[in-house]
Amino acid sequence: MSKEESIDVLEVPAGTVILKYAEAFASAGAGLWLLNHFWGDYVLLKLSDLNKPFSFAGAVQVWFIFAWVLALALIQSPAYYWEDKLTLTGRAIWLSLNAGFWEELIYRWLAFFGAMVMLPFFNWITFGLVHWCFQTIFIPVTNWLTLGAFAPQLTAANWVLGGAIISAAASFRDAHASHGVFGWANSWFMGMVLFWLVLHYGLATAIAAHVLYNFIALGVRVARSR
């Protein structure tokens, strides 16, 4: 959901959930289509590079994010709702499915590919400053924070690939700014893990992992609600 959203996500109507995501997807998709139409040569990857069958082995590789979100959900204070738990469970499933599906398409595909076009443009109008910032600061720091998991992409000959990963992950992080400083930072790390899944196992695996991550967080909240 958008960072302006202040109410509990389990209280957002089902229609509003899909409408907000569909609008964001349409907007991001139109932007990428426009960029790709005029400057498609700058896009270093194709959708087919991310379009791989679901991999259970890939999802198992990131087991730690599921353990992490379970621990976080268990230490949170129980929430109070007017609805019964069956209704809340349905909302948790619906929200998890939508968030996992739409956010992967928006951030790990559309925003990622769009950044590959925008970064060279911003670098040109800043006379190389953007390149210098990424090469000197953002890429080394990100490589250190992710323990070298993205070294092949971040240290590639073309800096734009690593820069696009960092930029799209930052967009995903900022979209969850309403979760507070901890949630903001947690969203960045979560986004980077999902990026790793996308690059190694494809969008389908990342979508499945994202859905499960969200459902653990919301499912535990429902189970402990009063």
Side-chain angles (χ1 to χ4, degrees), residues 29-40:
L32 178 60
W33 177 87
L34 187 64
L35 292 172
N36 192 62
H37 181 73
F38 291 101
W39 302 285

